[in-house]
Amino acid sequence: MKVLDKLSLRARLGLLYAVLLIFSVVVVGCYSYWNIWQLFISNKSSQLRARAKPIIEHWLVDNDLTKSNNPHLKLNPEKAFILARDLTSRDTVAIVLNRKGDIIANGKCLPEEPQAPIPDKRYFRRALSGENEVTYRSQVNGKPVLVLLIPLRPRPASPQIFGVIQMSTLLTDIRKILFRHGTMLVSLVAIILILGIVTGFWLIGVSLKDLQSLLTSCNQISKGNFSQRVSVKNHRDEIGKLAISFNQMIEKLEATFASQQRFVANVAHELMTPLTGLRGSLEVLLRGAQDDPSAMARLSKGMYREVNRLIRLCEQLLGLSQLESCSNVHKQPIILSEFFNEFKANAQVLAGGRSLSIQQGPYVKVSADPDLLKQILLNLLSNALRYSPRETPVVIRWKLLPEQVEIQISDQGQGMDRETLSHAFEPFYQGKLARLVSNEKGIGLGLSLAKSMVEAQGGMIRIESEPGKGTTVFFTLPLE
Amino acid sequence: MNTDKNDNKIKILIIEDDPVITEFLCTGLKYEGYEVTPSTGGKAGFDALQQGTFDLIILDVMLPDTDGFKVCEHIRDCESDIPILMLTVKKEISDRVKGLDSGADDYLTKPFSFDELLARIRALLRRSGRIHESKRLRAGAIVLDLETREVTKNGKKINLTPTEFGLLELFMRHPHRVFTRETLLNRVLGYDYDGGTNIIDVHISHLRNKLDDRPPHLIRTIYAVGYAFHPEGANT
Ligand SMILES: Nc1ncnc2c1ncn2[C@@H]1O[C@H](COP(=O)(O)OP(=O)(O)OP(=O)(O)O)[C@@H](O)[C@H]1O
Ligand SMILES: [Mg+2]
């Protein structure tokens, strides 16, 4: 098994196939060889019997033995010799045995006639006990012979047996025929095997070809070449299907990889801008602006803003990375009205004197992570506050839906145009209007973070917005 | 000032949306003697360009209304050969070429150092012939050669250490300006030099000795503030 494991799939399949083929062909060959041999032998024996039967009957009539009822009749050796002689031919020799098993007559006279084998006691006893068709194979001087034992009865089916005739015939002819037959069989088997193995290997090779190209692609991809695709000829077999789903998988991977790269590039970009501000401001200060109090004040305020922006970026990135592993979501039952009573203080700080109302909805218990819920609300609230004029109110309310609750945050601000709406949830995306209007520059992570956080808790988020009228963000949470 | 006419300041237009970057660019460049006009977007920048004449434009690639390349092409289309220095972020490295194609003269990758920015600005101005920076700074009998880094007084060579040379160069570039010891330390010994400002007093006294600077000093001590350079003292 160890050795098999080391082979390639192709070699393994080929080997298995070849072994099976050889095994079955050899079994069939052996069986047919044996079958022919049996056929020849039974043919030969029935031939001999057919020839012997009239001779024996004739001899019985000639010797007036047909009517005999004497169980102890002794065979006359001379008469028995006549019978043996009649039954003997060029390739067959007959001997007559009495009930004791002694040879009383041997038909062999001429030197070219074969020799009779020594009677076998076991078979003799069977013949003597009345068995008609005792046939067995034996050897004389190393040559194979077929031996037939015929019980000598006065009449057919008479229980009385006064001796046994042993006829033996040489099997050398049959052997010869069989040998010829065998060699033919072997060469046929060899040809079949060669053809079978060659076509088998070819077939295996053809069907494994797609697998090979799959392997090549895998190697390419492991080197980082994600544009690689597997081309398949046959789309219906298992390998074809594997290749198709492999291609789909790679497509997904490629997309994920690209978005990951984009994300990292975006992060770098977002880091670089505040860092540029910080470095530049510091250098200008150190170069001498520090001696001018007003320049000092302006630059340090700017630096403070940039540092805060960096901190916010880091926090949001941390939040995103925490969400990637769902283990950081600790759901627990939350009574919404109680939660919002606590949240109000946080919200008020963020609103900084602006009109913010939290409208109590029906009594509901949701299953959510309170920290995440708070962050979602803070993100959405800061958007609503940032993208709407100071005088306009921001409203939070909730509504009961089947099996879930929907929380809404509405403002009466600038709203989003179609393009912003379609990209709002993408990390680092910022609407054009937003970048012009807001004095405090955002990062573009707020909504994508909120979306991840809502989804991590099994909810959904969507935005309805009309440019110039206002925006409402809806998100759902599952009920307890 | 290193321009040929002191009253005629070099005018720089900054097109950059980030308020902090704009702030430090304005402050820093004003300190270097440039006249700076900030604008926060492509359109605003273009409007400013219509109203005034400028010697150089500093242009950010990422602008809220358009991107910097378009602004650049636009400027080139309708106007002039004003040198344009582009500010980019690393991820736009491939955009650099594009930036130069669109007509920018040079680029700087964020986060850049202010010193490098100054060097690029000076190089661009020199290349476009807007300043004729002389290779020598003069103050009376004292001549400072920027290329050979040699100082002579009345034709006699004076051996200065690099720090002393830096101090003298700074003083001669900014006559009458009062420098605190802190600023001198940062400008001459580097922003990250850790150590007391006393070292500046030591260097100044060495420099005065070498220049044979007797009262009234060329390099004057401003009480409780620092030092300032008064070139008219060299005539005496
Ligand atoms: N309530 C709102 N009204 C109008 N536009 C909005 C609103 N909320 C979000 N937007 C638009 O969607 C964009 C993406 O919002 P998101 O919260 O993700 O980023 P941001 O607010 O710009 O930055 P920050 O990461 O600081 O939150 C915003 O730039 C803005 O254009
Ligand atoms: Mg936001």
Side-chain angles (χ1 to χ4, degrees):
Chain A
M1 271 312 150
K2 279 265 164 60
V3 183
L4 265 187
D5 287 345
K6 276 185 203 144
L7 293 173
S8 74
L9 184 60
R10 186 180 169 170
R12 220 183 310 169
L13 278 180
L15 203 68
L16 213 70
Y17 168 78
V19 166
L20 266 179
L21 194 67
I22 290 170
F23 179 76
S24 52
V25 166
V26 164
V27 163
V28 168
C30 289
Y31 176 74
S32 77
Y33 186 85
W34 180 79
N35 222 8
I36 289 165
W37 174 246
Q38 288 297 314
L39 194 74
F40 271 123
I41 286 185
S42 75
N43 211 4
K44 191 85 182 174
S45 72
S46 49
Q47 238 176 26
L48 281 181
R49 275 178 212 282
R51 195 155 61 88
K53 197 180 174 211
I55 294 174
I56 295 170
E57 267 168 19
H58 204 83
W59 181 79
L60 284 170
V61 173
D62 277 357
N63 291 291
D64 275 335
L65 287 169
T66 49
K67 302 252 167 42
S68 162
N69 280 323
N70 179 8
H72 302 294
L73 181 94
K74 281 221 172 84
L75 284 175
N76 182 343
E78 273 142 47
K79 284 180 183 167
F81 176 73
I82 294 170
L83 177 61
R85 190 63 204 143
D86 281 351
L87 286 171
T88 300
S89 66
R90 258 191 90 89
D91 60 349
T92 310
V93 63
I95 55 174
V96 180
L97 307 159
N98 66 10
R99 283 187 62 92
K100 284 192 211 122
D102 306 325
I103 300 170
I104 50 171
N106 191 335
K108 175 176 159 74
C109 286
L110 302 172
E112 65 267 29
E113 284 161 1
Q115 234 171 3
I118 298 153
D120 187 316
K121 283 268 151 39
R122 267 187 306 142
Y123 293 106
F124 173 75
R125 247 175 266 129
R126 273 168 60 191
L128 205 61
S129 66
E131 212 177 303
N132 276 332
E133 306 246 335
V134 179
T135 310
Y136 66 95
R137 273 183 288 144
S138 178
Q139 299 226 323
V140 180
N141 302 333
K143 284 180 188 160
V145 288
L146 180 69
V147 184
L148 257 74
L149 296 179
I150 304 170
L152 200 54
R153 307 173 197 254
R155 297 170 299 275
S158 161
Q160 191 186 356
I161 295 170
F162 35 74
V164 172
I165 303 167
Q166 174 191 300
M167 292 177 76
S168 55
T169 184
L170 280 173
L171 286 175
T172 30
D173 290 355
I174 296 178
R175 264 284 158 96
K176 261 185 215 148
I177 295 169
L178 265 179
F179 182 73
R180 238 183 301 141
H181 188 83
T183 38
M184 208 175 72
L185 207 65
V186 166
S187 43
L188 216 68
V189 162
I191 290 170
I192 289 174
L193 276 183
I194 289 168
L195 276 180
I197 288 173
V198 167
T199 50
F201 268 82
W202 176 72
L203 269 178
I204 291 170
V206 164
S207 43
L208 290 189
K209 204 167 165 197
D210 284 340
L211 208 58
Q212 188 60 45
S213 71
L214 203 66
L215 190 69
T216 323
S217 310
C218 278
N219 281 336
Q220 286 283 321
I221 287 156
S222 69
K223 281 179 202 141
N225 179 4
F226 280 102
S227 59
Q228 188 76 23
R229 293 288 178 279
V230 186
S231 64
V232 269
K233 288 178 203 84
N234 186 350
H235 290 275
R236 256 157 290 156
D237 67 358
E238 285 83 349
I239 294 175
K241 281 180 191 153
L242 176 67
I244 289 170
S245 56
F246 178 83
N247 280 346
Q248 284 166 352
M249 181 186 80
I250 292 306
E251 218 141 280
K252 282 241 173 69
L253 261 182
E254 192 183 15
T256 317
F257 196 64
S259 86
Q260 201 78 12
Q261 274 181 330
R262 245 192 338 267
F263 186 82
V264 171
N266 276 326
V267 169
H269 184 269
E270 289 310 317
L271 283 174
M272 283 313 175
T273 313
L275 285 176
T276 309
L278 275 176
R279 182 181 185 170
S281 303
L282 280 169
E283 282 180 347
V284 168
L285 278 174
L286 290 171
R287 288 177 69 87
Q290 57 192 351
D291 305 332
D292 173 357
S294 90
M296 177 83 177
R298 270 178 291 134
L299 288 172
S300 42
K301 259 185 204 142
M303 279 157 54
Y304 179 71
R305 266 214 298 278
E306 296 293 50
V307 168
N308 276 346
R309 199 161 138 208
L310 280 177
I311 290 173
R312 202 148 44 90
L313 175 66
C314 287
E315 280 172 354
Q316 294 192 334
L317 286 178
L318 221 60
L320 268 185
S321 78
Q322 260 171 9
L323 282 178
E324 311 250 293
S325 55
C326 284
S327 57
N328 286 313
V329 179
H330 305 292
K331 280 203 191 187
Q332 60 187 72
I334 297 174
I335 298 165
L336 264 194
S337 47
E338 284 180 13
F339 175 84
F340 273 109
N341 280 339
E342 266 179 51
F343 178 72
K344 203 159 188 156
N346 285 304
Q348 229 84 54
V349 171
L350 197 67
R354 283 187 55 178
S355 156
L356 167 74
S357 77
I358 296 177
Q359 294 182 2
Q360 292 281 344
Y363 175 88
V364 278
K365 224 183 201 176
V366 295
S367 158
D369 181 330
D371 289 336
L372 288 187
L373 183 54
K374 201 164 134 187
Q375 281 199 47
I376 295 168
L377 287 167
L378 286 178
N379 271 330
L380 298 180
L381 203 57
S382 80
N383 278 354
L385 293 166
R386 190 190 291 171
Y387 304 118
S388 65
R390 275 199 73 81
E391 324 74 70
T392 59
V394 173
V395 181
I396 299 179
R397 56 170 82 84
W398 71 86
K399 202 165 87 185
L400 198 59
L401 297 181
E403 306 204 1
Q404 53 191 2
V405 70
E406 187 181 68
I407 301 176
Q408 311 176 358
I409 292 104
S410 347
D411 63 61
Q412 295 170 16
Q414 64 195 63
M416 302 187 200
D417 55 21
R418 188 171 285 179
E419 197 194 325
T420 309
L421 201 54
S422 63
H423 295 289
F425 289 116
E426 285 172 21
F428 298 107
Y429 180 82
Q430 292 189 276
K432 284 210 170 103
L433 222 58
R435 300 214 288 163
L436 284 177
V437 167
S438 77
N439 47 355
E440 186 193 351
K441 229 180 149 195
I443 298 163
L445 279 178
L447 279 177
S448 72
L449 196 59
K451 184 178 156 85
S452 311
M453 289 191 284
V454 168
E455 282 170 0
Q457 300 179 85
M460 305 231 285
I461 188 165
R462 74 196 158 87
I463 303 175
E464 276 176 18
S465 181
E466 207 176 314
K469 288 252 173 76
T471 306
T472 304
V473 183
F474 304 79
F475 70 93
T476 59
L477 289 174
L479 289 182
E480 238 279 290
Chain B
M1 207 30 247
N2 47 356
T3 48
D4 38 358
K5 276 180 253 159
N6 262 5
D7 53 329
N8 194 1
K9 284 188 175 175
I10 294 281
K11 294 188 187 68
I12 296 179
L13 175 65
I14 296 174
I15 307 178
E16 159 71 75
D17 67 318
D18 189 282
V20 179
I21 294 177
T22 313
E23 177 63 46
F24 90 73
L25 285 179
C26 287
T27 313
L29 290 174
K30 269 180 203 154
Y31 265 77
E32 291 304 312
Y34 298 106
E35 194 178 306
V36 189
T37 310
S39 66
T40 52
K43 257 201 208 85
F46 210 71
D47 291 344
L49 208 56
Q50 308 280 293
Q51 282 153 27
T53 51
F54 294 94
D55 299 300
L56 185 115
I57 299 173
I58 296 176
L59 178 61
D60 186 22
V61 171
M62 292 271 286
L63 290 172
D65 48 356
T66 44
D67 79 295
F69 302 120
K70 290 213 188 90
V71 178
C72 200
E73 278 162 26
H74 201 49
I75 293 170
R76 282 283 176 268
D77 280 348
C78 28
E79 224 217 305
S80 69
D81 52 338
I82 298 185
I84 299 178
L85 176 62
M86 275 226 180
L87 304 182
T88 68
V89 176
K90 267 255 164 6
K91 94 169 168 172
E92 299 134 10
I93 279 184
S94 55
D95 297 344
R96 287 176 169 184
V97 186
K98 205 174 141 199
L100 297 182
D101 275 354
S102 64
D105 297 275
D106 203 355
Y107 58 85
L108 213 50
T109 312
K110 287 181 188 177
F112 49 85
S113 89
F114 193 71
D115 287 335
E116 198 184 348
L117 178 81
L118 285 180
R120 298 288 178 95
I121 289 176
R122 232 176 268 144
L124 278 180
L125 289 174
R126 218 181 302 130
R127 241 198 287 162
S128 65
R130 275 158 221 266
I131 55 166
H132 306 286
E133 200 175 45
S134 59
K135 294 182 185 90
R136 293 203 177 118
L137 300 177
R138 261 172 230 281
I142 299 172
V143 179
L144 184 140
D145 192 317
L146 289 166
E147 266 184 354
T148 58
R149 300 187 75 76
E150 269 179 3
V151 178
T152 54
K153 188 178 181 185
N154 296 322
K156 253 190 12 214
K157 199 182 160 203
I158 298 168
N159 279 326
L160 295 182
T161 64
T163 312
E164 290 157 3
F165 184 89
L167 277 173
L168 187 61
E169 182 190 340
L170 191 59
F171 281 133
M172 289 174 80
R173 277 189 190 277
H174 305 276
H176 302 290
R177 177 141 147 216
V178 181
F179 290 100
T180 59
R181 290 182 176 79
E182 193 73 47
T183 303
L184 290 174
L185 187 78
N186 289 330
R187 296 283 289 261
V188 179
L189 291 174
Y191 301 135
D192 52 359
Y193 182 84
D194 281 330
T197 51
N198 292 346
I199 186 93
I200 288 299
D201 297 327
V202 176
H203 284 299
I204 296 272
S205 88
H206 285 169
L207 190 59
R208 280 179 178 156
N209 283 342
K210 286 183 181 175
L211 292 175
D212 193 22
D213 184 18
R214 279 160 291 153
H217 288 302
L218 272 171
I219 302 171
R220 290 199 192 144
T221 307
I222 312 295
Y223 180 71
V225 182
Y227 298 96
F229 187 72
H230 290 266
E232 58 281 1
N235 295 324
T236 56

